[in-house]
Amino acid sequence: MEQTAGNMVACGGLDNLCTVYKLDRPNMAMEMASHDGFISCCRFLSEQHILTSSGDSTCIRWDIASGRVLDSFAEHQADTMFLSIRPNDPNVFISCSVDRTVKVWDVRSSGKQGSVQTLTGHLGDVNSVEFMPSDGNAFGTCSEDGTARVWDMRSYQEVARFGQLKPRDDT
C-alpha cells in the first residue's frame, strides 16, 4: 500500500514496516516498526502523523519524525485490511477486517475507550472501506460476500446494498 502527503510518500507490506520517504530526500527513510503482521494500508493524517492497519488485527497512529507509536487501536479479531480517514476531520477514521466488521474510531479517545461504532452485516471478509466525499457521515464497503454496501454513521446502519450475496465458504 502506498500513500502520499505533501512532499512525503509512505509504503508498507510483508516486512511489517511502514516506511516514509521525503520526496526531496529519497535516500533517507523513516521506518516505523511495531506491528506483528503485514502492513495492509497506510494513510497520512498530517505531515506529522500517519495511520497504519495490519495483519496483526490492529491500527496504529504514529509520530512520523520519531517513529514512535502514539496510539494503538485493537478491537478487530482478524487481519485489519483497510482504513479511511473522514473528510475534513482527521480525528475520525474507519477500519475494516477479515472478522467481517467495520469499526469507527476517534483518535481523541486514544484507543482507550475502544471504537465509537462497530458495524456488522457482511458475511465475508471486508476488504475495503472508504468515506463518501459528501459530508463524511456515509462510507462504502466491499466484501468477499459479493456485496458492496453503503453505511451511515448517524443511523448506525446499512443504507444500501449492491451485488448478490454469496455465503462464506469456510471449508
Side-chain angles (χ1 to χ4, degrees):
M1 178 65 200
E2 185 177 317
Q3 173 72 27
T4 60
N7 71 340
M8 295 184 290
V9 63
C11 59
L14 296 176
D15 61 1
N16 304 355
L17 299 173
C18 176
T19 306
V20 176
Y21 298 92
K22 289 195 173 190
L23 298 177
D24 58 349
R25 295 185 186 162
N27 295 329
M28 294 180 61
M30 172 57 68
E31 290 185 338
M32 288 162 274
S34 188
H35 281 295
D36 291 327
F38 62 91
I39 305 295
S40 55
C41 188
C42 49
R43 296 278 186 226
F44 285 99
L45 293 166
S46 66
E47 291 199 19
Q48 293 77 38
H49 301 124
I50 194 167
L51 234 122
T52 56
S53 61
S54 172
D56 67 7
S57 308
T58 68
C59 296
I60 293 178
R61 185 170 68 110
W62 305 84
D63 177 75
I64 295 171
S66 67
R68 186 173 54 93
V69 172
L70 298 174
D71 302 296
S72 185
F73 304 88
E75 282 184 16
H76 283 295
Q77 303 302 308
D79 300 354
T80 305
M81 298 307 295
F82 208 77
L83 54 91
S84 179
I85 299 166
R86 189 177 196 181
N88 303 317
D89 186 359
N91 293 309
V92 176
F93 73 96
I94 48 181
S95 61
C96 64
S97 172
V98 172
D99 68 8
R100 307 178 196 178
T101 68
V102 177
K103 294 192 179 282
V104 180
W105 305 91
D106 190 323
V107 298
R108 292 168 290 201
S109 67
S110 301
K112 295 176 185 85
Q113 298 174 7
S115 60
V116 176
Q117 292 178 14
T118 299
L119 300 159
T120 60
H122 280 294
L123 300 179
D125 302 355
V126 184
N127 295 314
S128 186
V129 62
E130 191 68 45
F131 272 105
M132 302 291 190
S134 55
D135 64 0
N137 289 313
F139 57 88
T141 58
C142 66
S143 168
E144 288 185 10
D145 67 10
T147 66
R149 301 176 188 215
V150 178
W151 307 81
D152 189 296
M153 293 186 342
R154 296 166 296 187
S155 65
Y156 293 83
Q157 66 184 353
E158 174 186 323
V159 294
R161 182 183 303 173
F162 307 92
Q164 289 194 305
L165 199 58
K166 296 185 297 189
R168 184 177 169 126
D169 181 14
D170 285 330
T171 58

